[in-house]
């Protein structure tokens, strides 16, 4: 039987032990909170500029000069993670920061051999060393790492520990983290690695400078093979799989990290927030293709010439690719200048909108004849690019051949002020010479626009007449994004139909696109803008210093780049829109007298001046059959157009007035059903005109 004295002493000893344990725990808790590990909420990492899908376009080095890309586990090949844990810390998922068994093994090996055979550091201990570099390899430093590892495990999950290690692990030079290493050594993100690549990335952090493949290829090769051998012994890899991986070459090349969309990437830097990637609307695959096209083209074009390109989605205004220069780092081409935003003369690229307004106002049809011969507009004498004249040509031919004189004749009728107002309505404000009103010269490039302006205008042609404000993500968060109508649907289709018939440049493949070229005065700028049923691509070629380049032209210099750009963008061609319901495209012999020749009066002769002629309905022509889909639920209205007369106008359908009185020379009518109908217009002077049509 135990004595009372013994029991009393035992109780005192137990209480003392509990007290000491409590004191020790309290002391450790206090020390843990007094000396926490340096674990910032956010690591200092490279600023990343990503594309619309989160793929890396460009990274910027950290303030201390390192390429350190933040890494998440879902960005890394799972097999690589398994190999890393197996090689470095096979009980990582089970221990609390320190692996006692590994330490005991390492100590035993050191005691028996007198040298370090294997380390006992866990990944948590290695992370402790990365966030708090040790000054020496002393026993005290190792104990401190162990304590720090325990602290880290108390604060971070296993997943967070791995992600921080994968972000900070050294890989030679100024490369830190597995993403930077994979991009530099393999040219790809570490999401999908070969077995050989994964083994090399496991081996490098232990001796990153000594094993750098770009400097010590044989040592790197041997280190990779040791990892493969360990994976076989750990049964993570089969012998055959490891043997095949060992046959793979180890490249001695260190690549530069992605540097796409340089101008947009730099423009995004003011928006940078630590730890958060910046996002552009650009698509990486499109950007890569366009930049390669621009570099190749500039090499062929010759020194000092640059190339700029903008590719946009006409349905949203998203810029999917933009190249500000042929090479951002080429000083001989002033590559740092973003030529997509520099105001230059657009040459003939605005002509489609001149003709579009003429179609909209009912002044012309595609087969209307127009005179291409010398003309004087109060001292302004436009000349064709080749200094020759064609005589009588159709409107279609005049636009496809980009004849200057017919375009100015039409602009004179449409009105330069109206054209400029339509541009501003579409969100583009061309730059005029100081203190000058819009004049006829704007039709031939006598106005300043940027490449982005031009592409924005052409998004209207690709999108049924409706433009969208272009954006790439660099704009302020509160920047206004608008849409506007630049041409009505039927006039817009007429322009598409004409431009789709322009002959592709020599050697280019026909891709079902419509396009227009332009050359500015003095051979300073060459342009080409094209589109399919969705995407618009604009190309500028020239010298950034606006120097003249003899022989430079839109068709010869820019158009081939346009077609190659569409091919290399990788985007599938979207068919151009079909003819709208109710559209009537008469042959030349079927044109009414007033549309047979541009500027003709009722007698068929060209009029020098016309003072309020009687109204004439030019669309639909008398006796026409028009398919509006009246048997369907979404039947289209019929567009009515007239020439002459004095505003305002009143329209009647089968003797019944249409709603309202309008000063415009266009109107719409929704028929009740199929059959013959009589349409009448009456002007302010009481003069009337009528046509009879059959609606289907």
């Amino acid at each position: 039987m135990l004595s009372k004295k013994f029991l009393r002493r035992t109780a005192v000893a137990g209480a003392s032990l509990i007290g000491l344990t409590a004191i020790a725990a309290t002391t450790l808790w206090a020390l843990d909170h007094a000396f926490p590990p340096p674990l910032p909420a956010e690591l200092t990492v490279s600023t990343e500029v990503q594309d619309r899908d989160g793929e890396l376009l460009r990274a910027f080095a950290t303030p201390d000069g390192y390429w350190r890309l933040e890494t998440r586990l879902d960005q890394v090949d799972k097999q690589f993670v398994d190999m890393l844990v197996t090689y470095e810390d096979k009980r990582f998922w089970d221990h609390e920061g320190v692996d006692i068994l590994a330490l005991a093994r390492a100590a035993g090996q050191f005691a028996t051999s007198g040298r370090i055979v294997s380390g006992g550091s866990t990944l948590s201990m290695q992370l402790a060393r990365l966030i708090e570099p040790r000054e020496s390899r002393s026993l005290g430093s190792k104990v401190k790492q162990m304590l720090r590892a325990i602290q880290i495990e108390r604060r971070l999950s296993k997943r967070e520990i791995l992600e921080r290690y994968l972000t900070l692990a050294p890989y030679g030079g100024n490369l830190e983290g597995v993403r930077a290493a994979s991009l530099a050594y393999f040219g790809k993100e570490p999401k999908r690695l070969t077995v050989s690549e994964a083994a090399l990335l496991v081996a490098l952090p232990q001796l990153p400078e000594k094993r750098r493949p770009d400097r010590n290829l044989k040592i790197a090769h041997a280190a990779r093979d040791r990892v493969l051998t360990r994976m076989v012994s750990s049964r993570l890899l089969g012998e055959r799989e490891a043997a095949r991986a060992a046959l793979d070459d180890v490249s001695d090349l260190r690549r530069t990290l992605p540097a796409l969309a340089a101008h947009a990437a730099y423009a995004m830097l003011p928006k940078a927030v630590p730890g958060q990637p910046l996002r552009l609307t650009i698509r990486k695959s499109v950007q890569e293709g366009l930049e390669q096209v621009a570099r190749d083209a500039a090499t062929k074009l010759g020194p000092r010439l640059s190339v700029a390109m903008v590719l946009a989605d006409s349905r949203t205004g998203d810029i999917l690719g933009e190249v500000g220069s042929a090479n951002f780092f080429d000083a001989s081409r002033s590559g740092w200048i973003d030529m997509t935003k520099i105001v230059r003369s657009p040459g003939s690229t605005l002509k489609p909108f001149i003709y579009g307004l003429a179609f909209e106002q009912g002044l012309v049809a595609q087969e209307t004849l127009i005179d291409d011969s010398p003309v004087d507009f109060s001292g302004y004498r436009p000349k064709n690019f080749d200094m020759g004249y064609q005589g009588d040509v159709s409107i279609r031919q005049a636009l496809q051949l980009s004849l200057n004189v017919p375009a100015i004749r039409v602009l004179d009728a449409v009105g330069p002020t109206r054209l400029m107002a339509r541009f501003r309505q579409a969100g583009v404000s061309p730059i005029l010479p100081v203190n000058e009103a819009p004049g006829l010269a704007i039709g031939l490039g006598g106005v300043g626009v940027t490449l982005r302006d031009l592409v924005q205008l052409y998004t209207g042609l690709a999108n049924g007449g409706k433009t969208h404000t272009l954006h790439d993500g660099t704009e302020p968060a509160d920047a206004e994004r608008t849409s506007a109508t630049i041409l009505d649907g039927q006039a817009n289709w007429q322009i598409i139909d004409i431009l789709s018939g322009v002959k592709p440049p020599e050697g280019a493949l026909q891709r079902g696109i419509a396009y227009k070229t332009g050359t500015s005065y003095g051979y300073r700028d060459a342009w080409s803008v094209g589109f399919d049923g969705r995407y618009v691509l604009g190309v500028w070629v020239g010298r950034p210093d606006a120097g003249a380049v003899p022989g430079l032209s839109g068709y010869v210099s820019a158009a081939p780049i346009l077609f190659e750009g569409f091919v290399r963008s990788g985007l599938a061609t979207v068919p151009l829109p079909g003819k709208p319901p109710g559209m009537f495209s008469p042959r030349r012999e079927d044109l009414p007298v007033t549309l047979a020749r541009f500027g003709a009066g009722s007698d068929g002769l060209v009029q020098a001046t016309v003072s309020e002629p009687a109204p004439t309905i030019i669309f639909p022509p008398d006796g026409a059959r028009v398919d509006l889909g009246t048997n369907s639920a979404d039947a289209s209205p019929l567009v009515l157009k007239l020439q002459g007369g004095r505003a305002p106008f009143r329209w009647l359908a089968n003797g019944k007035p249409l709603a309202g009185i309008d000063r415009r020379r266009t109107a719409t009518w929704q028929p009740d059903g199929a059959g013959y109908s009589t349409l009448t217009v009456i002007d302010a002077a009481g003069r009337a005109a009528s046509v009879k049509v059959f609606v289907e």
Side-chain angles (χ1 to χ4, degrees):
M1 183 174 178
L2 298 175
S3 67
K4 292 183 178 180
K5 184 178 181 180
F6 177 79
L7 292 174
R8 187 165 53 248
R9 287 180 177 178
T10 302
V12 170
S16 299
L17 181 60
I18 292 173
L20 289 173
T21 302
I23 292 171
T26 302
T27 302
L28 290 174
W29 182 89
L31 289 173
D32 180 58
H33 285 76
F35 303 99
L39 287 173
E42 297 289 345
L43 297 175
T44 301
V45 295
S46 297
T47 297
E48 295 184 43
V49 180
Q50 300 177 350
D51 80 342
R52 63 192 299 115
D53 301 315
E55 293 193 49
L56 182 65
L57 290 171
R58 185 181 180 88
F60 294 89
T62 61
D64 53 355
Y66 283 88
W67 296 109
R68 185 186 302 130
L69 304 180
E70 185 172 18
T71 306
R72 302 186 307 274
L73 279 182
D74 59 8
Q75 295 175 299
V76 183
D77 192 306
K78 184 181 182 302
Q79 186 175 43
F80 162 75
V81 175
D82 292 341
M83 292 171 68
L84 173 68
V85 171
T86 301
Y87 191 80
E88 293 285 356
D89 185 3
K90 63 182 180 181
R91 281 178 286 275
F92 170 73
W93 300 105
D94 301 319
H95 63 63
E96 297 296 328
V98 177
D99 187 348
I100 301 300
L101 293 177
L103 286 175
R105 184 197 68 239
Q109 291 171 339
F110 178 78
T112 56
S113 65
R115 62 186 179 86
I116 298 175
V117 177
S118 64
S121 293
T122 63
L123 287 172
S124 303
M125 292 170 64
Q126 292 183 46
L127 176 59
R129 186 174 70 246
L130 291 173
I131 64 175
E132 199 172 28
R134 62 190 178 187
E135 298 178 358
S136 65
R137 295 175 61 88
S138 65
L139 180 60
S141 296
K142 178 66 71 173
V143 172
K144 183 178 179 180
Q145 278 181 31
M146 294 166 63
L147 294 174
R148 285 300 197 199
I150 294 171
Q151 288 182 298
I152 289 171
E153 292 267 353
R154 287 169 52 85
R155 289 166 170 80
L156 299 178
S157 68
K158 292 289 187 179
R159 182 183 182 90
E160 290 171 329
I161 291 170
L162 259 183
E163 289 180 338
R164 293 211 174 197
Y165 174 84
L166 293 174
T167 299
L168 297 174
Y171 279 90
N174 64 344
L175 296 176
E176 289 191 355
V178 69
R179 287 184 62 210
S182 183
L183 288 165
Y185 294 134
F186 311 137
K188 65 181 183 181
E189 292 277 1
K191 182 67 175 176
R192 291 180 177 83
L193 298 170
T194 67
V195 173
S196 172
E197 291 167 346
L200 180 62
L201 292 180
V202 168
L204 290 180
Q206 290 117 41
L207 295 169
E209 290 302 323
K210 186 177 180 179
R211 295 177 177 178
R212 285 179 59 173
D214 60 322
R215 293 189 177 180
N216 302 299
L217 183 60
K218 289 184 178 180
I219 295 175
H221 198 287
R224 180 206 64 180
D225 290 350
R226 282 195 294 273
V227 172
L228 292 173
T229 300
R230 177 83 66 83
M231 294 304 105
V232 173
S233 62
S234 299
R235 298 185 178 181
L236 190 64
L237 292 178
E239 291 186 6
R240 290 186 178 180
E241 186 178 15
R244 285 195 299 269
L247 295 175
D248 291 346
D249 290 332
V250 175
S251 173
D252 62 353
L253 177 66
R254 172 174 166 169
R255 301 164 178 81
T256 58
L257 266 64
L260 297 168
H263 297 92
Y266 275 104
M268 288 291 281
L269 280 181
K271 295 184 174 184
V273 176
Q276 295 184 17
L278 301 167
R279 189 67 64 90
L280 292 169
T281 64
I282 286 171
R283 182 172 294 161
K284 184 178 181 180
S285 58
V286 173
Q287 186 69 24
E288 287 177 325
L290 295 187
E291 289 194 14
Q292 188 61 54
V293 169
R295 284 193 296 269
D296 294 346
T299 301
K300 294 178 182 178
L301 288 166
R304 306 182 72 180
L305 281 166
S306 193
V307 176
M309 308 171 77
V310 174
L311 192 152
D313 185 337
S314 68
R315 300 178 188 176
T316 62
D318 288 353
I319 292 178
L320 303 181
E322 56 183 337
V323 181
S325 64
N327 187 332
F328 183 83
F329 301 101
D330 189 342
S332 69
R333 304 180 195 273
S334 301
W336 61 86
I337 300 177
D338 185 355
M339 294 306 299
T340 69
K341 299 179 180 178
I342 301 300
V343 175
R344 304 299 281 260
S345 165
S348 297
T349 56
L350 300 181
K351 287 177 181 175
F353 304 99
I354 297 172
Y355 288 102
L357 288 181
F359 279 115
E360 195 173 281
Q361 296 173 31
L363 300 177
V364 297
Q366 288 197 32
E367 295 303 321
T368 298
L369 292 178
I370 190 168
D371 184 25
D372 177 34
S373 61
V375 65
D376 187 331
F377 293 94
S378 301
Y380 178 58
R381 302 179 180 88
K383 295 179 175 60
N384 289 327
F385 185 76
D386 61 0
M387 306 304 291
Y389 299 93
Q390 304 286 326
D392 279 350
V393 294
S394 68
I395 291 293
R396 182 181 180 87
Q397 292 170 324
L399 179 52
Q400 289 183 341
L401 297 174
S402 197
L403 301 176
N404 290 343
V405 174
I408 298 305
R409 289 184 186 274
V410 175
L411 179 59
D412 185 47
V414 168
T417 301
R418 179 173 294 173
L419 180 66
M420 291 290 286
R422 196 61 67 91
F423 289 159
R424 294 189 184 100
Q425 179 180 315
V428 172
S429 298
I431 307 301
L432 290 166
V434 179
N435 298 323
E436 282 197 19
L440 295 178
I442 67 176
L444 304 182
V447 68
V449 298
T450 68
L451 179 59
R452 283 180 63 147
D453 288 338
L454 207 53
V455 171
Q456 182 164 320
L457 292 175
Y458 273 75
T459 61
L461 296 180
N463 193 41
K466 188 176 183 180
T467 64
H468 287 282
T469 303
L470 296 191
H471 53 276
D472 60 7
T474 62
E475 302 81 12
D478 58 351
E480 186 178 8
R481 292 171 58 175
T482 61
S483 61
T485 298
I486 191 166
L487 291 174
D488 73 32
Q490 296 204 8
N492 194 77
W493 181 85
Q494 298 280 13
I495 298 302
I496 292 175
D497 189 48
I498 294 174
L499 295 183
S500 65
V502 177
K503 181 182 177 183
E506 186 176 353
L509 296 175
Q510 176 58 265
R511 282 183 52 86
I513 64 173
Y515 80 108
K516 182 72 184 74
T517 61
T519 308
S520 69
Y521 178 76
Y523 303 98
R524 290 177 171 83
D525 309 277
W527 306 83
S528 186
V529 190
F531 56 92
D532 60 14
R534 179 165 186 172
Y535 303 109
V536 181
L537 175 59
V539 176
W540 170 88
V541 177
R543 284 176 47 168
D545 62 1
V549 183
L552 188 75
S553 75
Y555 187 77
V556 173
S557 307
I561 301 174
L562 175 81
F563 278 77
E564 183 66 16
F566 266 112
V567 172
R568 298 290 288 275
S569 72
L571 297 171
T573 302
V574 179
L576 291 165
K579 184 185 294 188
M583 175 64 69
F584 183 61
S585 299
R587 298 173 300 175
R588 183 173 300 165
E589 56 267 27
D590 296 330
L591 289 172
V593 171
T594 52
L595 285 179
R597 176 181 289 276
F598 179 73
S602 58
D603 57 1
L605 300 176
V606 176
Q607 304 293 303
T609 60
V610 180
S611 177
E612 292 185 359
T616 302
I617 298 174
I618 59 170
F619 188 84
D622 191 33
R625 297 179 69 92
V626 184
D627 184 3
L628 299 177
T630 54
N631 293 326
S632 63
D634 55 348
S636 302
L638 178 62
V639 177
L640 313 175
K641 299 182 180 181
L642 66 89
Q643 278 185 339
R646 182 189 303 172
F649 307 100
R650 177 178 291 280
W651 288 87
L652 299 93
N654 299 319
K656 181 179 179 181
L658 302 186
I661 299 177
D662 204 330
R663 301 191 65 83
R664 296 176 299 176
R665 285 177 166 76
T666 61
T668 58
W669 168 57
Q670 186 74 57
D672 296 331
Y676 282 102
S677 292
T678 300
L679 302 170
T680 303
V681 65
I682 304 173
D683 73 351
R687 296 170 293 183
S690 296
V691 294
K692 191 173 184 179
V693 298
F694 185 86
V695 176
E696 308 184 282

